[in-house]
Amino acid sequence: MAPDLMRRIREAAVARIAAHADELTALDQAIGDGDHGINMKRGFEAIAAVAAELDALPAGPALQKAGMTLVMKIGGASGPLYGSLLMAMGKAMPGDPGSREVLAASLAEGVAAVKKRGKSEAGEKTMLDVLVPVLDAVAAGTGDPLASARQAARDGLHATKDMKATKGRASFLGERSIGHLDPGARSSALLVEAVCDVLEDKV
Amino acid sequence: MTDCVAIVIVSHSPDVARGAADMVRQMVGEEVRVAYCGGNPAGGLGTDIAAIQEAIRAVNGPKGVAILVDLGGAETNSEMAIEMMADELQGEVVLCNAPIVEGAVMAATEASGGASLEAVRATAEEFLS
């Protein structure tokens, strides 16, 4: 893979979260406690702050360190959730993350870690409603994996609108959570888009 | 004092955490060790894994530690904190599925009599049933 791929993915992720922090906060104010945008922004700024250390590491250890940074800096449940995702992906990632098979295997470990950490599955109006279909699209290996991943993220995100939350703060609202996009699904979709943009050489 | 299960209170708010710890000390006394933390790493509302670990470390002992949390993120962050420090813990550390203030007082009351960690957790969780 290109030696600067991880750097470009990191920069794209940091920029995407920063650009959409207000939107994430607005979504979270509707059905959560309104801190998702600021928490994610703080976490990804902390990743940017250790950029030099991350650049010196191979892809797997860099992902693990980025995950640990999110765990320690976010301050909400998204810290352990996104942190576990990246740490498990990094642990499962060998030297060259450039192929679809490697990405699928690594993402599978990451998604399993999020399920375990959140005690949740797809269909409960969470980030998993984006991550699980994206993993399925990447793992299927048919057609253009990046185009399928983008479509799966979009569809997964929009499907959360009609779901009733049973996990996380939004579950306190019960039926009233219906009609709102899930903020965690939105941040996951943003990150999937950012990664796809880099892999498609759009940034 | 290390004969008793210790209590850790983890709230999104530093004021709630300190207030709950004050209530435990006033109602149960000093024999049960209580540590608390609240607020995110930037000082706003939220929880901070490093602070949770520091609180656990401050009261960690062979009889174990019962943690009381308020909302979701406090629970997820506490679970992560416990897993990350598994190597250095002397006794077991458990989360109680109980209201933070009432649970902390009930847990500490039970702990002050020298009860096991399992009994302390069960007493805290009785508030739910």
Side-chain angles (χ1 to χ4, degrees):
Chain A
M1 72 166 186
D4 64 345
L5 188 62
M6 289 301 286
R7 175 186 62 76
R8 287 163 58 215
I9 288 175
R10 186 193 71 234
E11 288 173 355
V14 170
R16 191 65 58 106
I17 292 298
H20 291 267
D22 290 346
E23 180 199 341
L24 293 175
T25 290
L27 289 173
D28 198 29
Q29 279 166 343
I31 58 169
D33 57 357
D35 63 2
H36 190 50
I38 194 159
N39 281 350
M40 289 295 279
K41 187 159 175 278
R42 180 169 53 248
F44 280 79
E45 281 171 353
I47 285 178
V50 293
E53 290 168 65
L54 293 173
D55 284 345
L57 293 169
L63 268 177
Q64 291 185 62
K65 184 173 172 62
M68 184 54 77
T69 303
L70 294 181
V71 165
M72 298 311 288
K73 295 294 182 188
I74 282 188
S78 47
L81 292 169
Y82 277 110
S84 296
L85 173 72
L86 296 190
M87 285 158 68
M89 284 184 72
K91 212 169 161 189
M93 187 164 281
D96 186 347
S99 78
R100 184 192 60 75
E101 288 79 7
V102 165
L103 186 59
S106 163
L107 189 56
E109 291 298 319
V111 169
V114 173
K115 288 181 178 177
K116 184 162 174 269
R117 177 68 53 202
K119 305 182 190 91
S120 185
E121 294 288 336
E124 297 182 305
K125 201 178 180 94
T126 72
M127 60 196 281
L128 285 168
D129 292 307
V130 165
L131 295 180
V132 169
V134 166
L135 167 62
D136 291 344
V138 175
T142 50
D144 174 354
L146 294 178
S148 321
R150 281 181 191 277
Q151 190 62 46
R154 266 195 300 272
D155 293 348
L157 169 64
H158 289 292
T160 65
K161 191 161 187 172
D162 295 327
M163 290 179 186
K164 181 175 129 181
T166 54
K167 285 287 184 306
R169 198 77 46 83
S171 65
F172 293 4
L173 293 173
E175 299 287 336
R176 283 176 293 142
S177 67
I178 296 172
H180 299 277
L181 288 177
D182 178 64
R186 179 64 179 132
S187 55
S188 289
L190 288 169
L191 292 170
V192 170
E193 283 171 17
V195 173
C196 287
D197 283 354
V198 174
L199 295 177
E200 287 172 349
D201 254 335
K202 287 186 178 166
V203 287
Chain B
M1 292 197 348
T2 52
D3 308 340
C4 298
V5 171
I7 309 294
V8 167
I9 295 164
V10 181
S11 171
H12 278 57
S13 155
D15 291 341
V16 169
R18 189 178 52 244
D22 284 345
M23 286 183 65
V24 170
R25 274 193 287 261
Q26 178 165 349
M27 296 172 80
V28 182
E30 300 285 337
E31 70 260 45
V32 176
R33 290 164 308 141
V34 181
Y36 62 91
C37 61
N40 70 24
L45 295 179
T47 51
D48 175 356
I49 286 191
I52 296 170
Q53 292 182 321
E54 204 176 309
I56 294 172
R57 228 169 255 134
V59 296
N60 178 27
K63 291 276 280 191
V65 177
I67 302 186
L68 279 300
V69 302
D70 52 9
L71 298 166
E75 179 183 355
T76 315
N77 274 324
S78 296
E79 286 169 350
M80 188 98 205
I82 295 167
E83 282 171 35
M84 284 165 59
M85 61 192 307
D87 295 345
E88 59 176 288
L89 295 173
Q90 297 175 46
E92 204 187 342
V93 180
V94 299
L95 260 73
C96 302
N97 183 15
I100 189 164
V101 175
E102 294 89 334
V105 171
M106 295 299 289
T109 305
E110 185 72 29
S112 66
S116 70
L117 183 59
E118 202 35 60
V120 168
R121 172 158 70 176
T123 300
E125 293 184 352
E126 269 172 26
F127 247 95
L128 283 179
S129 52

